[in-house]
Amino acid sequence: HDTLGLFYSAKDNVRMSLFQAPRKTSLRPGVIAVDKSHKLLSLKTCDAVLEYFGEVFPHLRPIRVFISREEADRFAKSRPGTLSLPRYVWPLHYGDRLVLLGDSAHSVPPNMGLGVNAALDDCRALKEALDKAGDDLAMALPLYSELQGKEAQSLALLEYRHSLTPASAMFRQLTPLQRLDWHVEKRLRSMLRKLLPWLFSTEFETIPLRTAYGGSLTKVLREADALANTARAAKLALVATIVLAGVREAIRRGLVEVVWST
């Protein structure tokens, strides 16, 4: 099936990522992310699994096009794995004999497909450092750390932000006011991207494509930070406007008396 992307069910806080298969006859790989106490993990039969996914993702019906009975039965009998928080280390070398690349340098969950891209970019950066240092490891490895250290940090920060969704356990630990703030800021970021796409084009879902074609995660993070800061400024302006409008209305109705003194 040609459907590809990230699906989220607000009804049950379930997030499912479907990835493209190499051939139409191949099995479709995917990742399902839920909290460890989610009722999905208590389903024990093939029919219960198929019925559940058909209900929470009605746009994927018929669900058996996406999930066979064999896969549903295997899912019901399997033990779920856990995803750790994004991590990175610094420096990426120790002396002139040990260098860290790939998952040993930065570990992220698989739901964005960034692990392989980042590992390949580490290899590119190490080769570039070796070329610049004339294959002198004592010079090349510190240079590699300098080149890729910020990339590893940016990868972890971007993945952490991407993981903070209403389906995540981290989100449910926020206070109601923090959740409201998250939703307002997300809506404002979406509006800014639509109004000013030439300034704010960063979407977390495009990061794998950008890195695959030589993009810098540090640059992506800078763009994301600029978008977030602008959204926060817009949010503060919106709150100030609402408060000012409320004060003016209260003065008009005589609920508040303004006394000027010199």
Side-chain angles (χ1 to χ4, degrees):
H1 203 284
D2 293 332
T3 300
L4 174 69
L6 177 67
F7 302 94
Y8 170 68
S9 171
K11 175 183 176 182
D12 269 15
N13 288 327
V14 181
R15 187 171 62 180
M16 177 169 63
S17 302
L18 288 178
F19 302 100
Q20 189 65 54
R23 295 180 297 276
K24 288 188 176 182
T25 56
S26 302
L27 293 176
R28 294 290 304 279
V31 175
I32 299 168
V34 295
D35 186 63
K36 62 181 180 180
S37 60
H38 199 280
K39 66 179 182 181
L40 171 61
L41 304 181
S42 66
L43 303 180
K44 301 301 182 184
T45 67
C46 165
D47 291 331
V49 170
L50 290 173
E51 181 180 0
Y52 178 82
F53 280 110
E55 289 178 357
V56 297
F57 296 114
H59 48 291
L60 296 182
R61 290 179 179 172
I63 195 63
R64 292 185 184 178
V65 172
F66 298 89
I67 306 175
S68 67
R69 290 190 62 86
E70 292 77 13
E71 285 298 316
D73 185 61
R74 181 157 47 186
F75 181 89
K77 295 176 180 178
S78 66
R79 296 180 60 184
T82 58
L83 299 178
S84 63
L85 290 176
R87 301 173 182 177
Y88 71 98
V89 297
W90 176 262
L92 302 183
H93 78 287
Y94 295 90
D96 60 357
R97 295 298 181 188
L98 178 63
V99 63
L100 303 177
L101 302 92
D103 287 348
S104 63
H106 36 68
S107 175
V108 294
N111 54 314
M112 286 182 68
L114 284 176
V116 173
N117 281 340
L120 291 174
D121 192 56
D122 290 343
C123 295
R124 176 204 58 77
L126 180 58
K127 180 183 183 302
E128 181 179 330
L130 287 168
D131 290 342
K132 287 183 178 180
D135 291 337
D136 184 344
L137 293 179
M139 293 178 58
L141 299 192
L143 180 58
Y144 164 75
S145 279
E146 182 181 349
L147 290 171
Q148 287 302 94
K150 290 183 179 180
E151 287 290 289
Q153 181 186 43
S154 298
L155 172 64
L157 290 174
L158 286 167
E159 176 60 36
Y160 177 81
R161 295 180 188 180
H162 175 75
S163 300
L164 187 62
T165 68
S168 67
M170 293 183 295
F171 188 85
R172 287 189 286 278
Q173 294 174 0
L174 301 179
T175 65
L177 184 59
Q178 288 174 322
R179 295 183 189 184
L180 176 62
D181 181 72
W182 183 90
H183 283 291
V184 171
E185 191 170 308
K186 180 177 176 62
R187 188 62 59 88
L188 288 172
R189 288 200 305 268
S190 178
M191 291 173 59
L192 287 170
R193 279 192 294 262
K194 291 179 181 179
L195 293 173
L196 304 170
W198 59 91
L199 288 179
F200 306 113
S201 60
T202 299
E203 281 279 7
F204 287 122
E205 287 76 10
T206 68
I207 293 173
L209 293 178
R210 296 187 65 168
T211 54
Y213 290 96
S216 166
L217 285 173
T218 304
K219 182 180 178 181
V220 174
L221 180 61
R222 282 200 301 266
E223 293 179 5
D225 285 341
L227 176 60
N229 291 335
T230 305
R232 292 188 189 105
K235 179 178 61 179
L236 291 175
L238 178 62
V239 170
T241 302
I242 294 173
V243 171
L244 182 59
V247 171
R248 287 179 175 176
E249 181 65 15
I251 294 174
R252 188 184 67 82
R253 294 187 180 189
L255 301 177
V256 175
E257 182 178 351
V258 179
V259 179
W260 299 95
S261 62
T262 58

